């Protein structure tokens, strides 16, 4: 063989072995990537130069955090994150601003709140004539015969006198009207609505409800708790589109307040249909999730009467349907509300000596549904405001736990506003979640004194510090639309406890520190609904939900009352503004 051919062939083989990989696109990209910081393991976003409150007592503060794919990749000092900065990494300089985990509102009616935002607004109205004016304005813009809906009125703002149908009858001769009280446990119907629903002086009070009457036995237009169904059943169902718009409207508003997750207990009140929660689940939440329209995360609770249906869904699909939707558990009612004189107490109302309140659900039935729900692994949350209602539910929870055996169940009591002596200690002893709403005390301080007397109101109302000292899991919320979702205000209320018109704190020994209130609105709120592994704190591996506040230092945040939300991030993406 010709020697030159052999040499040429050998050179060709040599070149192919050692240089061919350079012409291979995969090899070339790997080689190129080795010369620059890796993007595969790098961050999408690095947030730096801030005061980042993590909600973790073992590591409370950091100044920077790196985020990738919606989760926190690492948190610490900026210098410790430098190796995570690569091609395409963005940086956000906080310039010393305070950052906290995304707030979790532990008790809302999200779609109801969104619907109310588009209806007759009477929240905060302190004059009868102003309510009449707003209803009249709504009638002028409505079709004859269509329902006029609204809510948020609080009779305590105009001295306590309860409204009557006669207030608004003259301006609503052709339109039925239904206006719910701020607490959702009482509503006002005009005479057109009463006639349409067939409510007369012969109509009997339903179990768990009251039809208010005049001295002559005629309906006043006010219906309490289960009696509201007499009117609600006649109101046309809200359309799917309206409910979808309401959810998106409420979600957008929540983001302006720094809320990134809500525990939604649904459009479920005494007297309302248990189907509403399920219709909203399929028509609204699953639609929004599948179409990429979810803006905040939701933990959903369903009526306890439908526990087996929820168990079936969880058995098939799990609890976390996505990063947006988590199936929390079931909810029930034990009593009504203080403002409606339907919260259940051991002693009668000071201003209504023959009234102890209402037990809105038959106890044996509630007990059996709770046993079944708990045995199926569902978390149970029960509304209780009066001291007797709370004691009854604590007794029931204790019996259920003994019957079904030991496990991490995290039973919840929603509101827990007025407690008998020693009851706060039982929350910690039994491991009960106290889901409380600080801003309610702003409306209730004067009301509680009038309805319960000074001694009872002073000893047993809104015992936040006592509950926390008992080792109860304290979770803060708003009960929106009863009060607006506003975590920063709720935190200040829990810290100061100064109602409108007061110069001093109401029961100052029950105030919380800033740290305690923040924890209760973040990581403890996450634990209260079994979500602490995903949200509630800013630590490696958690979803990157956080809020940038207007405060330039922690001291300013701790001492100033004017802190506001500058920006809200959900999954590392700016969602507001």
């Amino acid at each position: 063989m010709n020697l030159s051919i052999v040499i040429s062939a050998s050179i060709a083989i040599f070149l192919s072995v050692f240089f061919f990989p350079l012409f291979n696109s995969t090899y070339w990209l790997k080689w190129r990537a080795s010369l620059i910081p890796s993007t595969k393991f790098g961050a999408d976003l690095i947030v730096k130069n801030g005061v980042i409150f993590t909600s973790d007592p073992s590591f409370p503060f950091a100044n920077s955090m790196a985020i990738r794919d919606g989760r926190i990749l690492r948190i610490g000092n900026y210098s410790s994150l430098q190796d995570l900065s690569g091609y395409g990494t963005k940086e956000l300089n906080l310039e010393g601003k305070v950052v906290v985990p995304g707030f979790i509102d532990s008790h809302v009616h999200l779609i109801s709140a969104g619907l109310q935002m588009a209806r007759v607004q009477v929240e905060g109205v302190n004059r009868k004539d102003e309510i009449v004016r707003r209803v009249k304005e709504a009638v002028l813009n409505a079709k004859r015969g269509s329902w006029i809906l609204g809510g948020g009125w609080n009779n305590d703002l105009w001295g306590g006198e309860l409204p009557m149908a006669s207030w608004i009858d003259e301006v609503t001769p052709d339109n039925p009207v239904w206006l719910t009280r701020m607490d959702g446990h009482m509503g006002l119907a005009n005479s057109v609505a009463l006639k349409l629903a067939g409510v007369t002086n012969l109509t009997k009070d339903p179990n768990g409800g009251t039809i208010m009457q005049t001295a002559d036995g005629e309906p006043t237009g006010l219906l309490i708790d289960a009696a509201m169904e007499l009117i609600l059943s006649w109101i046309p169902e809200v359309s799917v589109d309206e409910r979808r718009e309401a959810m998106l409207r409420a979600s957008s508003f929540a983001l302006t307040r720094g809320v990134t997750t809500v525990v939604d207990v649904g459009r479920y009140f005494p007297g309302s249909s248990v189907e509403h929660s399920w219709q909203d689940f399929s028509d609204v939440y699953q639609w929004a999730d599948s179409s990429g329209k979810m803006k905040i995360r939701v933990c959903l609770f369903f009526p306890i009467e439908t526990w087996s249906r929820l168990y079936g869904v969880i058995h098939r699909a799990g609890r976390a349907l996505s990063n947006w939707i988590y199936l929390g558990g079931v909810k029930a009612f034990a009593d009504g509300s203080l403002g409606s004189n339907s919260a259940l107490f051991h002693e009668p109302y000071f201003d209504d000596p023959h009234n102890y309140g209402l037990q809105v659900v038959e106890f044996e039935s509630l007990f059996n549904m709770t046993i079944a729900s708990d045995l199926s692994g569902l978390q149970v949350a029960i509304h209780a405001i009066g001291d007797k209602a709370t004691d009854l539910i604590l007794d029931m929870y204790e019996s259920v736990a003994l019957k079904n055996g030991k496990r991490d169940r995290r039973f919840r009591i929603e509101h827990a506003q007025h407690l008998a002596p020693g009851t706060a200690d039982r929350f910690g002893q039994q491991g009960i979640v106290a889901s409380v709403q600080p801003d309610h005390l702003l409306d209730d301080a004067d009301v509680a004194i009038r309805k319960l007397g000074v001694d009872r109101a002073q000893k047993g109302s809104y015992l936040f510090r006592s509950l926390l000292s008992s080792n109860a899991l304290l979770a803060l919320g708003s009960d929106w639309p009863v009060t607006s979702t506003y975590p920063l205000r709720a935190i200040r209320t829990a810290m100061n406890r100064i109602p409108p018109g007061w110069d001093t704190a109401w029961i100052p020994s029950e105030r919380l520190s800033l740290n305690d209130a923040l924890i209760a609105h973040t990581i403890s709120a996450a634990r209260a609904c079994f979500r602490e592994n995903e949200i509630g704190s800013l630590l490696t591996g958690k979803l990157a939900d956080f809020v940038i506040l207007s405060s330039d230092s922690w001291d300013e945040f701790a001492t100033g009352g004017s802190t506001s939300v500058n920006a809200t991030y959900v999954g590392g993406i700016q969602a507001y503004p």
Side-chain angles (χ1 to χ4, degrees):
M1 182 180 292
N2 188 298
L3 181 61
S4 63
I5 295 176
V6 173
I7 293 173
S8 298
S10 299
I11 292 173
I13 293 171
F14 175 82
L15 291 173
S16 67
V17 170
F18 287 94
F19 291 97
F20 178 75
L22 295 180
F23 297 98
N24 179 279
S25 60
T26 302
Y27 182 91
W28 174 254
L29 290 173
K30 289 182 179 179
W31 176 79
R32 178 181 178 274
S34 69
L35 300 181
I36 61 175
S38 172
T39 56
K40 182 178 180 181
F41 298 102
D44 300 322
L45 174 68
I46 291 180
V47 181
K48 65 179 183 180
N49 190 26
V51 181
I52 301 174
F53 179 75
T54 68
S55 282
D56 183 351
S58 64
F59 178 50
F61 292 101
N63 66 27
S64 302
M65 60 181 171
I67 297 164
R68 187 184 70 221
D69 296 333
R71 292 183 181 268
I72 297 174
L73 189 58
R74 191 185 301 165
I75 187 165
N77 295 322
Y78 180 62
S79 59
S80 68
L81 309 181
Q82 289 298 288
D83 62 310
L84 300 176
S85 181
Y87 180 76
T89 299
K90 296 180 180 179
E91 291 196 352
L92 174 62
N93 189 345
L94 297 170
E95 299 179 342
K97 298 292 186 194
V98 172
V99 171
V100 296
F103 292 117
I104 300 168
D105 192 321
S106 294
H107 187 113
V108 305
H109 309 268
L110 191 67
I111 293 175
S112 296
L115 290 170
Q116 181 56 39
M117 290 171 73
R119 292 176 174 174
V120 180
Q121 300 285 331
V122 289
E123 180 181 355
V125 173
N126 58 9
R127 303 192 323 273
K128 166 186 172 181
D129 61 339
E130 179 60 16
I131 285 186
V132 175
R133 187 193 70 78
R134 295 192 186 191
V135 171
K136 181 179 181 180
E137 183 180 350
V139 170
L140 292 175
N141 295 315
K143 295 179 180 179
R144 181 179 180 180
S146 64
W147 279 84
I148 305 298
L149 304 174
W153 58 267
N154 181 1
N155 53 298
D156 296 306
L157 296 181
W158 58 73
E161 180 188 4
L162 289 169
M164 302 176 67
S166 59
W167 286 20
I168 55 177
D169 279 346
E170 185 176 341
V171 298
T172 59
D174 302 308
N175 295 81
V177 178
W178 177 247
L179 304 174
T180 56
R181 193 179 188 275
M182 59 174 291
D183 53 24
H185 289 268
M186 179 189 288
L188 173 68
N190 68 345
S191 293
V192 176
L194 291 174
K195 183 177 180 179
L196 181 66
V199 177
T200 70
N201 57 354
L202 300 177
T203 307
K204 302 293 185 182
D205 288 342
N207 290 332
T210 302
I211 302 168
M212 297 288 285
Q213 296 180 331
T214 66
D216 297 328
E218 296 296 324
T220 68
L222 288 173
L223 296 97
I224 301 174
D225 286 313
M228 295 190 295
E229 172 62 15
L230 297 172
I231 295 293
L232 294 175
S233 62
W234 287 87
I235 298 175
E237 177 57 67
V238 185
S239 71
V240 172
D241 286 342
E242 286 179 290
R243 287 183 281 131
R244 289 175 178 176
E245 290 170 4
M247 190 276 289
L248 296 174
R249 183 187 303 122
S251 297
S252 294
F253 181 81
L255 288 169
T256 70
R257 295 289 173 81
V259 176
T260 56
T261 298
V262 298
V263 176
D264 184 9
V265 293
R267 293 187 297 135
Y268 175 54
F269 294 94
S272 64
S273 171
V274 298
E275 292 301 317
H276 287 164
S277 295
W278 287 99
Q279 291 165 356
D280 292 341
F281 172 54
S282 59
D283 295 343
V284 181
Y285 287 118
Q286 288 188 308
W287 162 82
D289 193 21
S290 63
S291 58
K293 295 183 182 294
M294 290 294 292
K295 300 179 181 182
I296 61 175
R297 307 187 201 282
V298 295
C299 176
L300 303 178
F301 276 72
F302 296 81
I304 197 168
E305 293 89 338
T306 64
W307 69 266
S308 60
R309 197 188 315 184
L310 178 60
Y311 171 74
V313 173
I314 292 174
H315 183 70
R316 292 191 303 270
R319 292 184 181 275
L321 302 187
S322 68
N323 279 337
W324 297 100
I325 300 177
Y326 184 82
L327 302 178
V330 292
K331 190 211 172 182
F333 288 86
D335 65 346
S337 71
L338 181 72
S340 300
N341 279 32
S342 57
L344 186 64
F345 286 93
H346 290 291
E347 299 178 40
Y349 283 83
F350 189 75
D351 63 346
D352 190 3
H354 300 291
N355 179 21
Y356 290 79
L358 286 174
Q359 184 176 315
V360 298
V361 177
E362 198 275 319
F363 189 79
E364 184 177 357
S365 172
L366 180 60
F367 180 65
N368 290 334
M369 289 187 292
T370 302
I371 286 178
S373 300
D374 180 68
L375 196 61
S376 299
L378 301 176
Q379 188 179 20
V380 179
I382 299 181
H383 163 120
I385 287 180
D387 56 15
K388 184 175 181 179
T390 300
D391 285 343
L392 284 171
I393 299 308
L394 286 171
D395 290 344
M396 184 184 72
Y397 280 162
E398 187 173 28
S399 297
V400 171
L402 286 172
K403 184 175 181 64
N404 287 351
K406 187 175 181 179
R407 73 175 181 88
D408 183 10
R409 45 179 43 94
R410 304 184 203 181
F411 280 143
R412 296 170 60 115
I413 288 184
E414 306 297 316
H415 311 305
Q417 288 177 5
H418 307 283
L419 306 180
T423 296
D425 292 335
R426 295 185 62 187
F427 278 76
Q429 293 164 4
Q430 294 179 221
I432 305 298
V433 174
S435 171
V436 302
Q437 300 78 41
D439 279 346
H440 281 340
L441 74 80
L442 299 176
D443 297 310
D444 272 2
D446 293 316
V447 178
I449 291 171
R450 186 171 70 249
K451 292 181 178 294
L452 305 179
V454 175
D455 188 59
R456 283 166 65 191
Q458 192 74 13
K459 289 181 179 178
S461 301
Y462 296 89
L463 304 184
F464 301 150
R465 171 57 56 189
S466 295
L467 286 165
L468 201 59
S469 298
S470 82
N471 293 319
L473 188 55
L474 194 68
L476 300 190
S478 68
D479 203 8
W480 190 30
V482 177
T483 61
S484 180
T485 185
Y486 199 171
L488 287 174
R489 185 179 65 187
I491 287 168
R492 293 295 174 194
T493 300
M495 292 170 62
N496 300 324
R497 296 178 65 99
I498 301 178
W502 289 44
D503 296 322
T504 57
W506 184 33
I507 322 179
S509 60
E510 294 297 331
R511 291 179 295 190
L512 296 181
S513 68
L514 172 61
N515 187 75
D516 288 337
L518 267 174
I519 291 292
H521 235 318
T522 53
I523 187 61
S524 288
R527 291 192 184 106
C529 57
F530 289 91
R531 297 291 283 153
E532 69 271 24
N533 291 331
E534 295 290 312
I535 57 175
S537 59
L538 298 176
L539 296 172
T540 300
K542 299 294 180 68
L543 290 165
D545 299 348
F546 60 94
V547 182
I548 303 173
L549 303 179
S550 61
S551 297
D552 290 318
S553 69
W554 189 258
D555 287 342
E556 180 186 330
F557 178 39
T559 58
S562 59
T563 299
S564 58
V565 173
N566 273 7
T568 305
Y569 282 70
V570 182
I573 297 174
Q574 187 172 342
Y576 166 78

